[in-house]
């Protein structure tokens, strides 16, 4: 998607093909800064410090981390050490593990001499596959937006939570891919952007990427979505997800469940966009079976932003001495999900039967 | 309630009885600063700049503003000018108007000579009535907390949104009055405190007042409540309100509706605490009939807090150029409200019939 009018991805190989470059997402939305990752350790640091974030982008960055390492040391021992170190950068990121294991599976059978080139190709392939998946999600989701537009014949209002945009992937995004596709198709739309406390990915990342691409949007606090839906100001909700269980329960950023309840209460369709590998067939009851990560209190107690001096400052909002709990995700039961939007198609009233039917096609 | 172990109200007459003193709530939770209001203009500024906030406290401060003015000028013209100026301090505050009109009604029939003393007495009476009403709400609500404790036989977990604590009233609060009463009755409890974006009244005010009074509490982002309820970590919700319609729809801080939906979905009782004058018998359908104030974008785009230098700084969290919408309140339909907790008693399944029955008793 565009930044300042120029097409941009979140990760790309350097002109001399010896390194990869990324956007330092910790500096957004206030500064657009790119970084060059020359070594596996640079990639590991970018993942750990969340300069790259979003499941697909983390997986691709890790794959390139393996590739960068193989150029210097391609022994079995080096491959193992590389994979171990990258895995430790964000131990709970499922896609990180997936990307690394895919690289390991491709590289392990090869000779040391073959590994560097094969690793670079495989990482590039993973990146291109991500783009293709997201474009397909975009096309399937665009059809849903078009339907609403044809029915209403005015601008379509879409609410999203967190950032499942191109910044979380290599390009296009998951939840935002249908929106970018609809913009390309000249369907008039406007996006309500949930701030997404505590890390403010909506206010900082989603608002920034929509703004850079020229998509009409309005930032709201997470508390506002129910009110907007009561007053007919939301035509559909589209969110991404971290994991979907076999029966269609959706684990996504904390607060997603509240928006799904409000959508259900007001007859607003609630869509979840995802690549099909996000489905975890080993799980059924998401609320009972998915462990929810508890994150550091400082994400709640302190907020960073741009101060009058043009620098990023951090301020404390809670009183010293008050305890804080910080749950990263919640689970939206399948009964509240209108449909899943995948690269293979749309699954209405998701359950194991119709999800498996989609994949069998 | 206590501050630093010492009983404190939000407004009190000075030792020499020539002024009133308040807590400067704009400095909380980082600094506890009291201010002396010597003149009507001081009171007007305290209301306008939100050094005092919360419907009951605004009403009492305005009443004292009238009383301070009457000491200097007690003509009919002065009374009118005083009331007009105070009314303009926060034009949408219903309790501000109520407090001023009550003062006007008491003072208008009196001679100029009688007005100063009568105004001081009436303002003090309004303050004492507020305390008595809140204590009664506290006793009725405490019985509900006690029931849960007796059934569970462990600590009662209560979730609240925004600040309807003693800081919003003269003492005790509305939503927090049952909690303080239960603490006095040695019922073990813990409070989940919603941050309450965009103005963070939960994170800054509710957390501070509970902490100062020694009440166990944990601050969470507004997004977290649904997850907590899904996992049995909330036994009841108690919120305050700005207005209740004749059929029991509840207008309260933006985001209240989302918590009511989550409570309903998880079988968690959802209580609204209020003084009965908060009921607006002229309204029925709250969603359709109550106009929702849109507030300044800067409340969403910028956040203030304590920086490392020990000073309060403001930082921008959204990108420049992103539009913002800032709705102050939302409406929770009566069907989601388990009961209203009033100074007259508890109204289960609120509707016009049983609300009127309570007042007829």
């Amino acid at each position: 998607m565009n930044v300042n009018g120029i097409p941009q991805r979140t990760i790309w190989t350097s002109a001399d093909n010896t390194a990869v470059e990324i956007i330092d997402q910790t500096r957004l939305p206030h500064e657009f800064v790119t970084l060059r990752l020359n070594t596996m350790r640079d990639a590991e640091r970018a993942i750990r410090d969340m300069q790259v974030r979003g499941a697909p982008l983390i997986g691709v960055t890790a794959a390139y981390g393996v590739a960068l390492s193989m150029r210097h040391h391609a022994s079995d021992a080096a491959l193992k050490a590389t994979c171990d170190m990258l895995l430790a950068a964000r131990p709970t990121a499922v896609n990180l593990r997936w990307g690394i294991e895919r690289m390991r599976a491709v590289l392990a059978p090869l000779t040391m001499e073959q590994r560097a080139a094969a690793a670079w190709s495989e990482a590039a392939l993973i990146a291109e596959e991500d783009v293709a998946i997201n474009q397909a999600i975009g096309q399937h989701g665009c059809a849903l937006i078009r339907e609403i537009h044809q029915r209403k014949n005015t601008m379509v209002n879409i609410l999203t939570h967190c950032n499942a945009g191109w910044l979380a992937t290599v390009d296009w995004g998951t939840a935002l891919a249908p929106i970018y596709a609809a913009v390309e198709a000249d369907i008039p739309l406007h996006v309500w952007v949930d701030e997404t406390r505590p890390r403010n990915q909506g206010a900082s990342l989603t608002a920034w990427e929509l703004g850079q691409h020229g998509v009409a949007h309005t930032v709201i606090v997470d508390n506002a979505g129910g009110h907007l839906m009561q007053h007919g100001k939301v035509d559909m909700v589209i969110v991404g997800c971290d994991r979907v269980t076999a029966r269609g329960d959706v684990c996504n950023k904390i607060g997603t469940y509240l928006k799904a309840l409000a959508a259900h209460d007001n007859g607003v369709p609630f869509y979840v966009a995802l690549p099909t590998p996000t489905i975890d067939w080993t799980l059924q009851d998401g609320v009972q079976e998915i462990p929810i990560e508890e994150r550091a209190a400082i994400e709640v107690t302190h907020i960073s932003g741009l101060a009058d001096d043009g620098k990023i400052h951090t301020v404390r909002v809670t009183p010293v001495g008050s305890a804080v709990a910080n749950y990263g995700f919640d689970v939206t039961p399948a009964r509240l999900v209108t449909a899943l939007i995948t690269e293979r198609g749309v699954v209405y009233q998701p359950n194991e039967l119709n999800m498996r039917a989609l994949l069998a096609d």
Side-chain angles (χ1 to χ4, degrees), chain A residues 7-337:
Chain A
Q8 178 79 45
R9 286 184 170 188
T10 55
I11 189 165
W12 62 98
T13 52
S14 62
D16 59 5
N17 223 28
T18 63
V20 289
E21 296 182 50
I22 60 165
I23 300 166
D24 181 354
Q25 299 197 20
T26 63
R27 311 284 282 273
L28 295 175
H30 308 298
E31 294 172 294
F32 178 70
V33 177
T34 64
L35 289 177
R36 186 179 165 104
L37 310 181
N38 292 301
T39 66
M40 179 270 280
R41 286 192 182 273
D42 290 345
E44 187 269 338
R45 189 182 313 112
I47 295 167
R48 179 163 36 78
D49 295 349
M50 301 181 76
Q51 291 168 327
V52 292
R53 24 72 56 199
L57 177 55
I58 289 172
V60 172
T61 307
Y64 272 115
V66 174
L68 288 166
S69 181
M70 289 301 103
R71 295 193 163 182
H72 299 287
H73 309 283
S75 68
D76 287 0
L79 179 59
K80 181 176 186 311
T82 293
C83 293
D84 289 351
M85 187 166 298
L86 285 165
L87 276 171
R90 281 191 71 187
T92 60
V94 174
N95 243 59
L96 174 66
R97 174 169 295 276
W98 172 85
I100 291 167
E101 295 308 337
R102 173 161 161 178
M103 293 297 285
R104 198 201 307 261
V106 167
L107 300 178
L110 303 183
T111 64
M112 277 176 61
E113 291 69 29
Q114 294 171 314
R115 282 178 178 164
W120 202 258
S121 302
E122 190 68 16
L125 186 62
I126 295 174
E128 293 306 327
E129 285 176 6
D130 178 63
V131 175
I133 285 173
N134 299 336
Q135 281 183 307
I137 291 171
Q139 289 309 313
H140 292 298
C142 178
L144 301 171
I145 299 173
R146 190 190 306 275
E147 273 172 40
I148 292 173
H149 176 58
Q150 285 172 343
R151 197 169 63 237
K152 272 187 77 178
N153 210 16
T154 59
M155 191 171 66
V156 180
N157 284 296
I158 305 168
L159 185 143
T160 191
H161 189 68
C162 199
N163 178 261
W166 71 267
L167 287 171
T169 65
V170 177
D171 207 352
W172 291 91
T174 52
L176 298 194
I179 289 167
Y180 291 122
V183 167
E184 280 209 347
D186 289 328
I187 300 170
L189 60 80
H190 164 263
V191 185
W192 295 108
V193 178
D194 268 3
E195 176 181 52
T196 319
R197 288 282 294 145
R199 293 182 59 86
N200 298 343
Q201 294 96 329
S204 57
L205 302 177
T206 299
W208 183 83
E209 67 165 90
L210 291 175
Q212 288 292 328
H213 199 72
V215 182
H217 66 284
T218 303
V219 178
I220 50 173
V221 294
D222 302 303
N223 284 324
H227 169 71
L228 293 173
M229 293 187 214
Q230 283 179 318
H231 288 270
K233 294 183 176 178
V234 180
D235 296 305
M236 67 194 305
V237 179
I238 313 180
V239 298
C241 66
D242 288 74
R243 223 194 282 199
V244 171
T245 72
R247 75 177 194 192
D249 293 347
V250 171
C251 181
N252 189 43
K253 188 64 53 189
I254 191 82
T256 301
Y257 167 53
L258 295 172
K259 292 306 138 61
L261 285 167
H264 190 260
D265 200 46
N266 292 284
V268 174
F270 184 89
Y271 295 104
V272 180
L274 66 147
T276 49
T278 311
I279 302 167
D280 186 337
W281 298 102
T282 69
L283 299 175
Q284 288 289 335
D285 182 336
V287 173
Q288 294 306 317
E289 296 175 44
I290 299 178
I292 299 297
E293 176 189 3
E294 285 198 58
R295 299 179 53 86
I298 198 171
E299 292 184 352
V300 177
T301 58
H302 290 68
I303 294 181
S304 292
L306 191 69
D308 282 343
D309 62 6
K311 294 187 183 144
I312 306 293
H313 285 268
T314 299
V315 298
R316 168 179 269 277
V317 291
T318 59
V320 174
S322 285
V324 165
N326 182 14
Y327 299 91
F329 304 92
D330 64 22
V331 173
T332 299
R335 64 184 152 86
L336 301 175
V337 178

Side-chain angles (χ1 to χ4, degrees), chain A residues 339-359:
Chain A
L340 307 177
I341 308 171
T342 80
E343 77 281 13
R344 308 285 291 267
V346 175
V347 186
Y348 285 93
Q349 295 184 299
N351 58 43
E352 183 149 9
L353 198 67
N354 55 27
M355 283 160 64
R356 287 203 187 273
L358 176 84
L359 292 187

